[in-house]
């Protein structure tokens, strides 16, 4: 069957990525608004932390399920439904009268964003083929990285325009007009797909969803509650997480054996070269990378008295470096491969460690300027990580498993975001509480982020070596086949 490309495919991708950008942006844009939010709602630090971590957690838990529903009901239908839900929950978050309502609205907003994001990867699979698909995935990866990096800057601008008292509400309200416009354009541009009959028992793995949710909550809840002595009080939840995690893996394997659709196909991690390592690199990197924005927001605003706009502008060099590097790195993947992510992770780790060191020696009044160059350095590295890692991790995945693979990769990143934000913010808060020294707290928190990045770097180096061994083995196999063919020709001659 011949493939006829949709003439509107790049416009459709632009619309879908605009909506996806909003969902990913909301992971980090709220960070600079948290002090204003906490003051305006008289919220607890734990509750405010759930505004960030709860969104990322809900986002991650439904990614694979959203991909399954897109397969069943059609990408266009799921995209429109999830986008409408995201717009509504954004409005509810902006209008929240208290902490509880805000946290619940953010959880619902995370669910809608998690349903929305996998439709982007699904549409890329549907609309593009060959080299174009690689370029489209490169653009998607760049959007993922840039959306997280520019969040603090946009949040600071919004608070500067609308004021510190209620400006945080417009961090959410801004999604409404953009979302409505994206919805109208999606109605015109997104292709209609054939609706498949949904088989509840075999298409949606509800047991797997439940097991994974309990396992992740068992890890996250004690960490988020660290300010309230959570790890000591809730240590038993780590054991619950371990038990449910093991049960989840066993259940998923049994689902595969029975020929049904699993939530997380374990064959991706055992039978697909490079997938497990790439997914782990992404999760660990987001664990260290995504959490630094909340730490910087607390350091600049609470420690140095910066306004939200000044706080956002202080991390602008990272966003600029990430944007430029991501645009370039996506085109260099075929040439340099995994070496790009290795180099990028090394740059991020070095940049964060330099900032951690400078925090101890530069005067607080000069911190924003002093951090600019190492943050630019780290941003260039960050732009070299996400887009190439996405492309390389998915390149060997069979087409029939592409949707699940993309959802699982994003799930790891979102869970890494939730855990990393909670851990780094808890470390920062604990040092401030114990020593009352914000520069020391920043040094310790960024050192933890650099350590997580180095763990991702170690995995990326191991994958680079494994990739080279596979290439060498493949070349030797080709040479052996040539030799066998030549010998056979000689015998026949």
């Amino acid at each position: 069957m011949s493939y006829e490309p949709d003439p509107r495919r790049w416009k459709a991708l632009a619309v879908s990525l605009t909506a996806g950008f909003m969902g990913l942006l909301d992971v980090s844009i709220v960070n600079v608004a948290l002090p204003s939010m906490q003051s305006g709602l008289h919220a607890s630090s734990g509750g405010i932390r759930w505004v960030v971590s709860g969104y990322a957690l809900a986002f991650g838990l439904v990614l694979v399920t959203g991909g399954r529903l897109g397969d069943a009901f059609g990408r266009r239908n799921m995209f429109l439904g999830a986008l409408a839900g995201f717009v509504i929950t954004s409005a509810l978050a902006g209008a929240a009268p208290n902490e509880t309502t805000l946290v619940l609205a953010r959880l619902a907003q995370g669910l809608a964003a998690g349903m929305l994001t996998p439709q982007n990867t699904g549409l890329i699979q549907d609309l593009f083929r060959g080299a174009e698909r690689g370029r489209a995935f490169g653009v998607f990866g760049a959007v993922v990285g840039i959306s997280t990096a520019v969040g603090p800057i946009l949040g600071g601008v919004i608070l500067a325009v609308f004021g510190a008292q209620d400006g945080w509400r417009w961090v959410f309200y801004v999604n409404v007009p953009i979302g409505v416009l994206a919805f109208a354009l999606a109605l015109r541009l997104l292709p209609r797909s054939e609706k498949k009959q949904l088989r509840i028992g075999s298409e949606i793995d509800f047991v797997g969803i439940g097991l994974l949710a309990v396992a992740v909550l068992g890890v996250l809840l004690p960490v988020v509650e660290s300010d309230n002595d959570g790890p000591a009080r809730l240590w038993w939840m780590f054991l619950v997480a371990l038990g449910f995690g093991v049960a989840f893996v066993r259940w998923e394997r049994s689902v595969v054996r029975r020929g049904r659709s699993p939530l997380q196909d374990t064959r991706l991690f055992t039978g697909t070269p490079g997938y497990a390592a790439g997914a782990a690199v992404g999760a660990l990197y987001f664990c260290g990378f995504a959490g630094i924005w909340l730490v910087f927001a607390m350091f600049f605003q609470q420690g140095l008295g910066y306004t939200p706009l000044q706080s956002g502008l202080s991390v602008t060099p990272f966003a600029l470096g990430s944007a430029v590097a991501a645009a370039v790195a996506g085109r260099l993947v075929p040439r340099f491969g995994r070496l790009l992510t290795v180099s990028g992770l090394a740059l991020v780790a070095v940049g964060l460690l330099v900032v951690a060191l400078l925090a101890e020696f530069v005067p607080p009044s000069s911190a924003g300027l002093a951090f600019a160059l190492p943050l630019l350095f780290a941003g260039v590295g960050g732009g070299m990580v996400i887009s190439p890692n996405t492309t390389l991790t998915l390149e060997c995945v069979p087409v029939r498993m592409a949707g699940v693979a993309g959802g699982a990769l994003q799930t790891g990143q979102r869970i890494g975001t939730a855990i990393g934000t909670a851990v780094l913010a808890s470390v920062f808060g604990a040092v401030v509480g114990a020593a009352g020294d914000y520069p020391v707290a920043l040094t310790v928190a960024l050192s933890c982020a650099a350590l997580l990045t180095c763990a991702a770097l170690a995995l990326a180096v191991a994958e680079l070596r494994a990739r080279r061994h596979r290439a060498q083995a493949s070349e030797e196999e080709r040479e052996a086949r040539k030799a066998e063919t030549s010998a056979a020709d000689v015998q026949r001659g």
Side-chain angles (χ1 to χ4, degrees):
M1 176 186 258
S2 63
Y3 164 69
E4 290 294 334
D6 189 322
R8 300 180 300 177
R9 60 193 181 281
W10 287 105
K11 292 181 180 179
L13 179 65
V15 172
S16 70
L17 289 183
T18 298
F21 180 84
M22 289 193 303
L24 294 165
L25 182 71
D26 267 48
V27 175
S28 63
I29 194 173
V30 300
N31 287 331
V32 295
L34 292 181
S36 173
M37 215 176 286
Q38 186 170 4
S39 174
L41 295 178
H42 306 290
S44 65
S45 59
I48 286 298
R49 202 160 295 153
W50 268 103
V51 171
V52 177
S53 295
Y55 177 86
L57 175 63
F59 192 132
L61 287 179
V62 299
L63 278 164
V64 178
T65 303
R68 292 251 181 267
L69 293 174
D71 289 336
F73 292 114
R75 298 290 176 198
R76 182 176 185 272
N77 294 334
M78 275 302 299
F79 180 91
L80 293 172
L83 179 56
F86 184 78
V87 170
I88 293 170
T89 52
S90 295
L92 291 175
N98 53 52
E99 172 189 327
T100 301
T101 305
L102 178 59
V103 171
L104 291 175
R106 281 287 282 175
L107 288 170
Q109 190 188 30
L111 292 174
M115 290 288 182
L116 183 64
T117 297
Q119 312 318 320
N120 285 320
T121 54
L123 283 166
I124 290 173
Q125 294 284 351
D126 293 342
L127 292 174
F128 298 94
R129 297 289 187 276
E132 274 198 342
R133 179 179 289 178
R135 289 199 295 273
F137 268 123
V139 174
F140 172 72
V143 166
V144 172
I146 294 171
S147 62
T148 305
V150 303
I153 305 167
L154 294 181
V157 170
I158 290 172
L159 263 71
V161 172
F162 293 99
Q165 183 64 31
D166 290 318
W168 66 266
R169 297 185 183 277
W170 287 94
V171 168
F172 302 115
Y173 284 148
V174 73
N175 291 327
V176 176
I178 298 174
V180 170
L181 178 61
F183 189 94
L185 291 174
L187 280 173
R188 294 183 55 192
L189 295 173
L190 293 191
R192 296 183 181 273
S193 56
E194 182 181 352
K195 187 189 299 184
K196 301 176 183 177
Q197 183 63 39
L198 179 64
R199 295 171 294 173
I200 296 294
S202 60
E203 294 288 343
I204 308 299
D205 180 13
F206 290 108
V207 174
I209 293 171
L211 291 173
L212 180 61
V214 175
V216 173
L217 284 173
V219 174
L220 186 65
L221 187 59
V223 174
V224 172
E225 290 294 310
S226 58
D227 283 353
N228 298 321
D229 204 22
R233 288 187 299 105
L234 302 173
W235 61 268
W236 52 272
M237 291 198 69
F238 292 115
L239 300 179
V240 172
L242 178 61
F244 274 81
V246 172
F248 172 73
V249 173
R250 290 183 174 178
W251 171 260
E252 295 304 292
R253 288 176 177 171
S254 71
V255 170
V256 171
R257 285 196 302 269
R258 295 197 301 271
R260 295 168 57 190
S261 300
L263 178 68
Q264 184 98 345
D265 196 324
T266 55
R267 292 173 296 183
L268 283 170
F269 298 92
T270 58
T272 305
Y275 182 83
V281 166
L284 276 173
Y285 175 65
F286 270 81
C287 206
F289 154 74
I292 65 175
W293 309 119
L294 179 55
V295 168
F296 275 126
M298 292 190 294
F299 171 75
F300 284 121
Q301 294 183 55
Q302 297 176 2
L304 305 187
Y306 281 26
T307 66
L309 178 58
Q310 290 172 325
S311 175
L313 291 175
S314 297
V315 296
T316 298
F318 190 106
L320 291 176
S322 180
V324 174
V328 175
R331 301 179 181 180
L332 298 178
V333 174
R335 182 176 178 183
F336 295 103
R338 183 58 72 181
L339 187 61
L340 278 174
T341 54
V342 169
S343 303
L345 287 165
L347 291 177
V348 173
V350 171
L352 292 180
L353 286 173
V354 171
V355 174
L357 184 65
L358 288 174
E360 290 292 304
F361 296 102
V362 301
S365 59
S366 305
L369 184 61
F371 295 167
L373 186 58
L375 282 178
L376 177 65
F377 194 73
V380 170
M384 296 166 61
V385 174
I386 298 173
S387 176
N389 187 62
T390 300
T391 303
L392 293 167
T393 303
L394 297 176
E395 69 176 353
C396 294
V397 173
V399 175
R400 62 184 174 80
M401 300 169 71
V404 175
L409 181 63
Q410 283 283 312
T411 298
Q413 292 175 2
R414 300 284 73 78
I415 293 175
T417 296
I419 294 175
T421 299
V423 169
L424 296 184
S426 297
V427 168
F428 183 89
V431 176
V432 169
D437 192 323
Y438 280 90
V440 171
L442 181 66
T443 297
V444 174
L446 290 186
S447 297
C448 291
L451 184 62
L452 290 166
T453 304
C454 286
L457 174 60
L459 284 175
V461 170
E463 164 57 13
L464 175 61
R465 291 177 177 174
R467 190 175 282 267
R468 287 175 175 172
H469 287 319
R470 290 195 299 268
Q472 182 179 356
S474 178
E475 181 63 27
E476 290 174 354
E477 184 178 350
R478 282 196 296 268
E479 291 298 328
R481 287 178 179 174
K482 284 183 181 179
E484 290 175 1
T485 302
S486 298
D489 291 341
V490 170
Q491 289 178 355
R492 284 195 297 268

